[in-house]
């Protein structure tokens, strides 16, 4: 991940870099990696219409305005680690869907 446009967070004793970007209409993608290792990354798809706010301005009450806060980032990272993410080891990215507040692995 490029450092530009990312934020840092410490979860437990480990430091991570993360970013959120639009994936498609109604979907955001959260990406995270360890700051000190070029290891495995995670991608988490999150249903949200945040990026549609200006397009659908007259219908904002119907939009899913879910935003991801640092507390959510910490929880996502903790869950990903418990589900097998090893950010210090090289490997193919792990991809999850965030359903409610729980991660569901969508690839192995």
């Amino acid at each position: 991940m490029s450092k530009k446009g990312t934020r840092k967070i410490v979860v437990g004793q480990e430091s991570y870099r993360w970013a959120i970007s639009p994936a498609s209409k109604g979907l955001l993608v959260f990406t995270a990696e360890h700051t000190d290792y070029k290891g495995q990354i995670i991608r988490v798809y999150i249903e949200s219409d945040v990026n549609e706010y200006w397009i659908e301005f007259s219908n904002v009450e119907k939009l899913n305005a879910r935003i991801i806060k640092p507390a959510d980032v910490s929880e996502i990272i903790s869950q990903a680690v418990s589900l097998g993410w090893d950010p210090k080891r090289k490997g193919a990215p792990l991809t999850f869907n965030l359903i409610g507040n729980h991660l569901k692995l969508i690839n192995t």
Side-chain angles (χ1 to χ4, degrees):
M1 287 175 56
S2 169
K3 289 182 181 180
K4 186 175 181 171
T6 63
R7 297 181 68 183
K8 285 187 179 181
I9 192 166
V10 175
V11 179
Q13 300 295 323
E14 303 293 335
S15 178
Y16 300 90
R17 178 178 298 116
W18 62 278
I20 296 177
S21 56
S24 63
K25 184 172 175 72
L27 205 59
L28 300 174
V29 63
F30 165 89
T31 307
E33 71 179 0
H34 199 284
T35 57
D36 299 326
Y37 298 88
K38 290 289 186 189
Q40 190 176 44
I41 66 168
I42 56 168
R43 290 190 187 106
V44 179
Y45 290 93
I46 303 160
E47 289 184 10
S48 176
D49 295 318
V50 166
N51 291 321
E52 304 303 318
Y53 179 77
W54 295 110
I55 295 170
E56 305 287 343
F57 186 73
S58 62
N59 298 314
V60 293
E61 67 279 351
K62 295 179 183 176
L63 295 178
N64 170 4
R66 181 168 190 171
I67 58 172
I68 302 300
K69 300 176 220 149
D72 300 318
V73 169
S74 180
E75 180 61 25
I76 288 169
I77 289 170
S78 294
Q79 282 188 46
V81 169
S82 72
L83 291 170
W85 179 39
D86 186 351
K88 294 180 181 179
R89 189 193 69 206
K90 289 190 182 282
L94 286 182
T95 306
F96 300 90
N97 283 328
L98 184 63
I99 301 171
N101 293 320
H102 301 285
L103 293 181
K104 180 179 179 194
L105 185 65
I106 59 175
N107 73 344
T108 56

